[in-house]
Amino acid sequence: SQQGEEDPQALSIQEGENATMNCSYKTSINNLQWYRQNSGRGLVHLILIRSNEREKHSGRLRVTLDTSKKSSSLLITASRAADTASYFCALRRVDSSYKLIFGSGTRLLVRP
Amino acid sequence: GAGVSQSPSNKVTEKGKDVELRCDPISGHTALYWYRQRLGQGLEFLIYFQGNSAPDKSGLPSDRFSAERTGESVSTLTIQRTQQEDSAVYLCASSTSRSGGSQETQYFGPGTRLLVL
């Protein structure tokens, strides 16, 4: 599959705990992006990591990228109930300057 | 400073009817995308518009699907003779297109939830 495959499909944690989601892929990428979706509606861009980067931070988010293993992870630290959402990785392939290929997502539930 | 808007928010139609979905991108965004998201799944690329270039229609699932965009403004996605399998959320996104276009992020609308009975 050219798309990102995410695991776990679903994750339930207690507020305050950390949440880790993983994305694996099979193609060569230009960059990898993570998006969040609340209630099955519009997606919100969280963070972009380029193929020559290994780690990136944004607030409580930490993204890593290992191009040799073709995998990325999204870590949300000190989770909050408001973090409950679906999280998608999206790949921008080397041979496409505009098309994003989305994974199937991880549904995160943060219990208060 | 409005974001991407889509209408209608929800659409219920009968099998065999045509539907038209609308997307208003962020002003100044030259690129516009349509995606389909079936329940519990990721996004499927449908079509991409960039300025006055020919659109990339490679993701349209059948000839019942078509989309238009006038210049860099509103886009409409039309589904003719709807089938139950067309039930999904249809999402629109827009983005700027910097040099090379490879680093832009996409800004999504809230989607149109289509239910075909």
Side-chain angles (χ1 to χ4, degrees), chain B residues 34-106:
Chain B
W34 282 98
Y35 295 90
R36 178 172 70 179
Q37 184 180 30
R38 291 195 165 114
L39 186 64
Q41 297 187 19
L43 277 66
E44 299 173 66
F45 167 82
L46 296 178
I47 189 168
Y48 164 75
F49 294 93
Q50 171 58 268
N52 294 317
S53 302
D56 176 353
K57 303 180 181 181
S58 60
L60 294 179
S62 77
D63 58 8
R64 296 186 295 104
F65 288 72
S66 63
E68 292 184 351
R69 186 185 188 196
T70 304
E72 297 181 355
S73 61
V74 170
S75 175
T76 55
L77 175 68
T78 301
I79 309 173
Q80 295 178 311
R81 304 181 303 282
T82 52
Q83 304 294 311
Q84 289 180 332
E85 69 214 38
D86 299 333
S87 297
V89 176
Y90 289 83
L91 291 157
C92 173
S94 70
S95 68
T96 60
S97 180
R98 305 190 192 108
S99 174
S102 63
Q103 301 302 324
E104 80 279 9
T105 59
Q106 296 182 16

Side-chain angles (χ1 to χ4, degrees), chain A residues 19-58:
Chain A
T20 300
M21 290 159 268
N22 303 294
C23 173
S24 60
Y25 57 93
K26 296 183 179 180
T27 187
S28 295
I29 64 171
N30 183 292
N31 64 57
L32 186 147
Q33 303 178 30
W34 286 89
Y35 286 80
R36 185 176 97 171
Q37 183 180 41
N38 289 85
S39 305
R41 289 295 191 166
L43 280 71
V44 175
H45 178 260
L46 295 176
I47 197 164
L48 179 153
I49 186 164
R50 298 182 181 86
S51 60
N52 61 354
E53 296 176 315
R54 293 296 168 258
E55 187 171 313
K56 209 160 181 182
H57 297 254
S58 176

